[in-house]
Amino acid sequence: MKLVVALGGNAILRRGEQGTAEEQRTHVEYAAAHIAGLVALGHQVAITHGNGPQVGDILLRMECAQEILPLMPLDICGAESQGLIGYLIQQALENALRRAGVHRRVITLVTQTVIDPADPAFGRPEKPIGPFYTREEAMAHSDRPGWTLHEVEPGRFRRVVPSPEPVRIVEQNSLRILSDEGFIVVAAGGGGIPVTADADGTLRGVEAVIDKDLTAGLMADALDADVLLILTDVPHASLFHDTPQEEPLGRITAAEAERYLAEGHFPEGSMGPKVKACIRFARSGGKAGIITSLEDAPRALQGLAGTCITP
Ligand code: ADP
Ligand code: MG
């Protein structure tokens, strides 16, 4: 089967860790071993990934160095994170494949995603990014052009940016050609670098972030994939998550998933976009969108684990 695999942020960097190069390498190697297993089973794989923790580190590093180096806009930070994570995946996966005796090349594509400048998200930036600030620091930063700061916890502020819907992956043809040629492509990291496209095709980076699960769905459409495989740190999506009534979901239709989404079972910042991406993919010609863990992925592809959203 042709799979688009979306790796969650914690497949690379875990919350609460320092985020050393060694830690990130170890997590990526673990993820790569599982993905190599899917390739060894004969699946054609393309990969996308989150970048929240890495962009957070890049932003913090910039803050610390601002006396001597100019601040960079978010699109450039996103590009930096795609290179960093893509490199780690590319190397770890090629090593894992070589060990498994599978001869496939892995290539990372710096990817831009077109968004609509009229997207309502631009009217209400609400995706927190970067470090936490005290009230005094927040006041000092509030005059930076294009900055909105929210008090996310009492006395703790963070920058918030718009999270518009992904409309189109700029590099989708390159992605398709590379994948058809047999390359395992790592693309659209962090949802892709958000850009606007003028009528004449001119592209410009914007200060926003795109949800990686929603772009993963577009990538699966662009590649005509059979399955959108969203791998995260839970084995399935559930109803009544984190309550004594928790009920894991197995195979459900897009219509059922939509009803549960409307009932509020899947929050915006975490499970919501995963379920939404699977519903859209199932409705645009995909066979299934699957939400599961790295470890359960092979069994989920056989219908024996995970949450599977079908047309
Ligand atoms: P990723 O980095 O993989 O995108 P997220 O943290 O964004 O991961 O989303 C996964 C998290 O969603 C899980 O760790 C889980 O705690 C949370 N979650 C929220 N609602 C649900 C639900 N209904 N079913 C399962 N997990 C849920
Ligand atoms: Mg997420």
Side-chain angles (χ1 to χ4, degrees):
M1 284 192 290
K2 200 189 277 186
L3 315 176
V4 166
V5 178
L7 287 177
N10 45 58
I12 308 157
L13 203 156
R14 308 247 160 102
R15 277 160 262 238
E17 276 184 354
Q18 267 190 303
T20 65
E22 229 20 75
E23 282 168 351
Q24 299 194 55
R25 236 184 255 283
T26 303
H27 298 318
V28 172
E29 280 167 10
Y30 182 78
H34 285 84
I35 295 174
L38 297 176
V39 177
L41 286 173
H43 298 298
Q44 185 183 338
V45 170
I47 300 166
T48 188
H49 57 81
N51 70 348
Q54 288 78 14
V55 166
D57 283 2
I58 291 169
L59 293 170
L60 180 57
R61 218 171 268 133
M62 256 180 3
E63 288 283 322
C64 297
Q66 64 177 305
E67 302 296 329
I68 44 174
L69 286 172
L71 295 172
M72 290 294 135
L74 210 45
D75 58 326
I76 292 185
C77 298
E80 221 177 304
S81 77
Q82 288 185 347
L84 150 63
I85 300 167
Y87 158 65
L88 290 173
I89 296 177
Q90 206 171 299
Q91 188 180 72
L93 187 52
E94 286 203 351
N95 286 341
L97 290 169
R98 193 177 311 111
R99 276 195 296 272
V102 181
H103 298 284
R104 300 287 297 277
R105 300 313 305 265
V106 186
I107 187 152
T108 302
L109 206 57
V110 172
T111 312
Q112 307 167 87
T113 304
V114 175
I115 51 88
D116 178 359
D119 191 300
F122 286 98
R124 42 170 172 77
E126 51 194 20
K127 177 80 185 167
I129 56 154
F132 287 83
Y133 301 107
T134 62
R135 188 176 301 277
E136 293 68 40
E137 288 165 338
M139 298 290 260
H141 293 340
S142 59
D143 58 349
R144 283 186 182 168
W147 275 55
T148 308
L149 289 132
H150 277 186
E151 190 167 11
V152 289
E153 290 162 30
R156 302 185 79 203
F157 292 74
R158 272 181 101 184
R159 184 183 178 195
V160 287
V161 295
S163 184
E165 286 276 331
V167 174
R168 175 172 61 87
I169 295 173
V170 174
E171 291 78 9
Q172 59 185 13
N173 287 336
S174 318
L175 178 61
R176 202 176 303 132
I177 291 165
L178 288 166
S179 180
D180 288 347
E181 279 296 313
F183 287 92
I184 296 172
V185 189
V186 181
I193 302 160
V195 297
T196 56
D198 292 349
D200 69 354
T202 305
L203 302 174
R204 269 186 209 88
V206 292
E207 296 273 322
V209 296
I210 305 177
D211 186 273
K212 73 115 185 4
D213 297 309
L214 298 182
T215 306
L218 283 189
M219 186 164 149
D221 285 338
L223 286 173
D224 261 323
D226 299 294
V227 174
L228 168 61
L229 184 58
I230 299 181
L231 302 181
T232 184
D233 56 358
V234 286
H236 33 62
S238 315
L239 301 180
F240 310 104
H241 176 63
D242 247 354
T243 72
Q245 289 79 43
E246 178 148 359
E247 209 182 295
L249 290 166
R251 199 179 175 85
I252 56 171
T253 63
E256 288 170 302
E258 186 139 74
R259 183 156 49 82
Y260 298 142
L261 184 67
E263 288 169 2
H265 288 285
F266 315 121
E268 253 327 298
S270 57
M271 194 47 75
K274 298 184 201 312
V275 171
K276 229 183 260 178
C278 290
I279 294 172
R280 289 180 188 174
F281 178 63
R283 289 193 170 147
S284 67
K287 288 197 179 76
I290 296 176
I291 300 164
T292 192
S293 63
L294 212 43
E295 295 80 3
D296 279 346
R299 292 179 57 245
L301 288 169
Q302 296 178 283
L304 302 172
T307 298
C308 178
I309 299 178
T310 60

